[in-house]
Amino acid sequence: KMEDYVRQKNGNHPIKRILVANNGIGAVKAIRSMRRWAFETFGMERAIQFVVMATPEDMRANAEYIRMADEIVDVPGGSNNNNYANVTLVVEIAERWSV
């Protein structure tokens, strides 16, 4: 069904996996809104899989966005320059996890 939708919109490749390179409420809102759209559009909220980056601090806090994720990638903790704002790391994860 997603393939049909993409063709109708003159696309050629459905996006089925998304890397969430953020934490906290931003990540939660992004996942919720995309799941809602997938449900309204395709009748299944899990039409898109979410791969999230998670620091040790996020894991210890049992952050909501981690519980919502389909897959979790461990990243270094500390400053955002070590993880979410590290473009090299984000691109490497996206390539390695095929997102």
Side-chain angles (χ1 to χ4, degrees), residues 12 24 31 36 40 46 80 94 97:
N12 58 20
I31 293 169
R36 184 176 322 119
E40 291 169 357
R46 297 233 179 229
N80 279 354
W97 289 78

Side-chain angles (χ1 to χ4, degrees), residues 26-47:
V28 170
K29 285 182 175 184
I31 293 169
R32 277 188 188 151
S33 72
M34 286 184 262
R35 286 225 168 111
R36 184 176 322 119
W37 173 82
F39 181 77
E40 291 169 357
T41 305
F42 307 114
M44 48 191 268
E45 69 175 23
R46 297 233 179 229

Side-chain angles (χ1 to χ4, degrees), residues 2-13:
M2 185 183 289
E3 288 77 9
D4 295 337
Y5 176 86
V6 170
R7 271 195 290 295
Q8 289 173 352
K9 301 293 182 183
N10 296 319
N12 58 20
H13 181 75

Side-chain angles (χ1 to χ4, degrees), residues 16-66:
K16 294 185 177 183
R17 290 167 54 87
I18 294 177
L19 175 63
V20 178
N22 198 337
N23 64 354
I25 195 67
V28 170
K29 285 182 175 184
I31 293 169
R32 277 188 188 151
S33 72
M34 286 184 262
R35 286 225 168 111
R36 184 176 322 119
W37 173 82
F39 181 77
E40 291 169 357
T41 305
F42 307 114
M44 48 191 268
E45 69 175 23
R46 297 233 179 229
I48 300 170
Q49 300 290 302
F50 292 96
V51 178
V52 301
M53 296 170 53
T55 66
E57 296 87 357
D58 296 325
M59 296 295 284
R60 279 194 297 277
N62 193 26
E64 183 176 3
Y65 82 98
I66 294 171

